[in-house]
Amino acid sequence: MKKSILGSLRFLLLSVIVFGGLYTAAVTGIGQLFFSDQANGSQVTRNNQVVGSTLIGQEFKQAQYFSGRSEKVSQLSPVSSEQKNLVDARTKVELAKNPTEKNVPNDLVTASASGVDPNISLEAAEFQVSRISKERKVSQQSIRTIIEENSQKDWFSDRHYVNVLQLNLALDKL
């Protein structure tokens, strides 16, 4: 019995050292060496101040900025009445913020699986152009140019999207 307990304790100590220390140090080191930006949160800085991350969605409530996807994740079925009511409520809010528009893109009224998706579709960005143009008193074409310059293409599909933080930082440069 004593041998069994001592053997188990030695294995526990070895496991803590290997998996708790050496493995963690190796994975962290590889991450820092090959993926330093991502491992450190893909932080965006302006004037030596961190303003956000390109990997984590942030909420922008001011009318002169692009807004992203909802951060409020629901685990509701896509066909449930609760989900329908939630989407309907978000649709009304988006239409109130963007009164010249009629059809709200899906990604502005549904949350991503994680609740921190930093990107929106080109359609969702275009949906907001009129409001932002009016608020900032700049031409819609200037804003569309910013969207085009910041557009990215998904590796696995033909889906084009834009990062909300990058769009809003580009707007501030106008």
Side-chain angles (χ1 to χ4, degrees):
M1 175 86 166
K2 186 176 175 183
K3 274 184 168 181
S4 177
I5 291 174
L6 289 176
S8 296
L9 289 176
R10 282 193 298 268
F11 181 73
L12 174 65
L13 180 63
L14 177 67
S15 295
V16 168
I17 291 170
V18 171
F19 299 117
L22 298 176
Y23 175 77
T24 304
V27 169
T28 301
I30 290 168
Q32 288 295 328
L33 184 63
F34 294 110
F35 307 102
S36 179
D37 185 50
Q38 293 91 334
N40 292 310
S42 297
Q43 296 176 342
V44 177
T45 57
R46 293 289 184 264
N47 301 323
N48 295 323
Q49 179 117 7
V50 175
V51 295
S53 167
T54 59
L55 295 177
I56 300 172
Q58 296 146 95
E59 193 171 24
F60 290 93
K61 290 186 177 183
Q62 300 93 337
Q64 71 268 22
Y65 288 112
F66 285 96
S67 56
R69 297 186 77 172
S70 174
E71 295 177 348
K72 296 177 182 158
V73 178
S74 72
Q75 300 299 321
L76 301 172
S77 165
V79 295
S80 75
S81 60
E82 284 181 82
Q83 177 70 0
K84 183 184 181 314
N85 293 338
L86 188 60
V87 168
D88 288 346
R90 289 176 183 162
T91 300
K92 288 177 185 171
V93 168
E94 287 299 325
L95 288 173
K97 287 182 354 188
N98 301 281
T100 61
E101 301 298 325
K102 300 291 180 235
N103 297 317
V104 181
N106 191 42
D107 52 330
L108 288 180
V109 294
T110 58
S112 66
S114 65
V116 294
D117 187 357
N119 305 315
I120 57 174
S121 65
L122 292 181
E123 294 79 19
E126 179 64 33
F127 176 82
Q128 302 176 68
V129 167
S130 178
R131 169 181 47 90
I132 294 168
S133 171
K134 181 180 173 188
E135 289 290 325
R136 290 186 174 261
K137 297 174 178 48
V138 298
S139 73
Q140 290 186 14
Q141 187 53 47
S142 298
I143 295 171
R144 285 187 178 100
T145 301
I146 289 173
I147 292 170
E148 188 178 311
E149 289 171 353
N150 288 280
S151 173
Q152 301 173 39
K153 184 176 183 248
D154 188 12
W155 283 11
F156 301 107
S157 69
D158 284 335
R159 178 180 170 264
H160 285 79
Y161 61 91
V162 286
N163 183 282
V164 176
L165 176 63
Q166 290 173 336
L167 281 180
N168 289 333
L169 291 174
L171 283 174
D172 285 343
K173 288 183 180 178
L174 282 177

